Amino acid sequence: MYEGAVQDLIDELGRLPGVGPKSAQRIAFHLLAADTADVRRLADALIEVKARVRFCEVCGNVAEAERCRVCLDPRRSDEVICVVEEPKDVVAIERTREFRGRYHVLGGAINPIDNVGPDDLRIKELLTRLADGRVQEVILATDPNVEGEATATYLARLIGPMGVTVSRLASGLPVGGDLEYADEVTLGRAFEGRRVVGR
């Protein structure tokens, strides 16, 4: 549609997750109108993150050293590992301030449609971490979608025979939601995960 560099920029922005053609065009024209210093800061930040950030050798979380800050924290429990799909999931759980164990980032979920199988994820590394017997519980915190459920089921079958407790994050109705707007799967999960109150 556009000439040379502008179209190249739109095409590259359109390759980002969640950025469609219209959003890519809007971002491109925003960058064209922005100060050169602002654009340079963005470009420098992109180059810097690729140069400095890597994945933790232990858990697979993002880190600027060989190990991430969670793996380096001596106050964390080595007896519980929370398995997540992506580093962004670690951030979401950390915001709750409820979990004081360690993490393991798989790097995705089993998805046959996209040709992602168990060998494409960091499952072997997880099993290696469980081999020494220190870990007592593995919490499966994969996304509550088809791929996340398939991954959780696969991991539960692998880990169960190792004598480690395997649990799954509860799912159900959101706080502040109305029953009439909940889908069948969410309502079903809410019934499965119900608990006794007021004894």
Side-chain angles (χ1 to χ4, degrees), residues 109-118 121 147 150-151:
I110 295 171
N111 186 347
I113 293 170
D114 290 339
N115 292 320
V116 178
L121 305 176
E147 295 83 10
T151 305

Side-chain angles (χ1 to χ4, degrees), residues 90-168:
V90 172
V91 174
I93 293 170
E94 283 297 288
R95 276 198 305 259
T96 69
R97 300 180 191 275
E98 294 291 325
F99 181 66
R100 299 301 305 156
R102 306 284 182 183
Y103 291 95
H104 188 83
V105 181
L106 293 172
I110 295 171
N111 186 347
I113 293 170
D114 290 339
N115 292 320
V116 178
D119 292 338
D120 300 311
L121 305 176
R122 299 184 69 253
I123 294 173
K124 287 185 194 108
E125 292 86 344
L126 174 62
L127 298 177
T128 301
R129 290 179 73 185
L130 300 178
D132 67 7
R134 284 191 307 184
V135 177
Q136 302 298 308
E137 180 183 6
V138 171
I139 302 169
L140 301 175
T142 54
D143 290 342
N145 55 27
V146 174
E147 295 83 10
E149 292 295 331
T151 305
T153 301
Y154 180 83
L155 290 174
R157 287 186 182 148
L158 273 182
I159 297 167
M162 299 176 82
V164 177
T165 301
V166 180
S167 60
R168 181 96 167 100

Side-chain angles (χ1 to χ4, degrees), residues 16 19 31 51 63 94 107 120 139 152 199:
L16 296 172
V19 179
L31 293 171
E94 283 297 288
D120 300 311
I139 302 169
R199 274 208 176 169

